[in-house]
Amino acid sequence: MLEEVVKKLKAEIDKLKIVQRDYHKALAQRQQLDGQLNENVVVKEELDLLSPESEVFKLIGPVLIKQDLNEAKQNVAKRVEYISAELKRVEDTIPDLDKKQESLREVVNELEDVFVEERLKATVKAFFK
């Protein structure tokens, strides 16, 4: 019985570690996407301040290449839209991962209690033999 509890406990702890890793990965991804979104929103605001005859350049590798203002605005708007969608997707997964973490913690705690109980029974049994 004790060995069975130990196996279950190890399996649940492994599941918990995986969910915790995914949770921390999602938090890091959210932080990165949030930074990218803020950068692109600032770029969009700056592009909106320019007059139609202003020149815009795009950095490609070590070279600045002239780009049409409308094209630049469209590209930045698409990036903002894409990053916003990714950010929403990540933010939607975080509560799910949090719930999974919590339920796995409860299972681990219950199994730890059973383990302690079984170990105590085994110790008492061995003591009185």
Side-chain angles (χ1 to χ4, degrees):
M1 180 68 178
L2 188 61
E3 293 170 5
E4 187 179 309
V5 173
V6 170
K7 285 181 184 178
K8 286 181 183 178
L9 184 59
K10 284 183 180 181
E12 293 301 318
I13 288 173
D14 289 342
K15 288 179 189 177
L16 178 60
K17 286 179 182 179
I18 290 169
V19 172
Q20 286 175 330
R21 186 191 70 225
D22 292 345
Y23 180 77
H24 291 294
K25 187 192 288 186
L27 289 178
Q29 190 176 15
R30 179 179 66 179
Q31 186 176 12
Q32 180 183 13
L33 288 169
D34 195 38
Q36 290 175 348
L37 181 62
N38 289 335
E39 287 176 13
N40 280 281
V41 166
V42 169
V43 170
K44 184 180 182 311
E45 290 170 356
E46 291 293 322
L47 288 174
D48 289 341
L49 294 174
L50 296 175
S51 65
E53 55 275 345
S54 297
E55 290 185 345
V56 177
F57 293 88
K58 181 176 184 175
L59 184 64
I60 299 178
V63 180
L64 285 174
I65 299 194
K66 190 173 181 180
Q67 190 176 23
D68 179 58
L69 179 60
N70 288 330
E71 183 182 340
K73 285 182 179 182
Q74 287 174 350
N75 288 341
V76 171
K78 285 179 188 175
R79 267 198 308 266
V80 166
E81 184 180 323
Y82 173 76
I83 294 169
S84 295
E86 280 297 300
L87 188 58
K88 182 179 178 348
R89 184 187 63 77
V90 169
E91 286 179 341
D92 289 346
T93 62
I94 289 174
D96 293 338
L97 290 170
D98 198 29
K99 286 177 187 174
K100 283 182 186 177
Q101 266 188 117
E102 199 55 44
S103 67
L104 285 170
R105 278 191 192 113
E106 289 174 10
V107 170
V108 166
N109 287 338
E110 289 171 7
L111 285 172
E112 284 175 341
D113 291 344
V114 170
F115 172 75
V116 168
E117 200 174 292
E118 290 297 320
R119 191 164 175 195
L120 185 59
K121 285 179 186 176
T123 304
V124 169
K125 194 182 236 184
F127 182 73
F128 287 111
K129 275 191 175 182

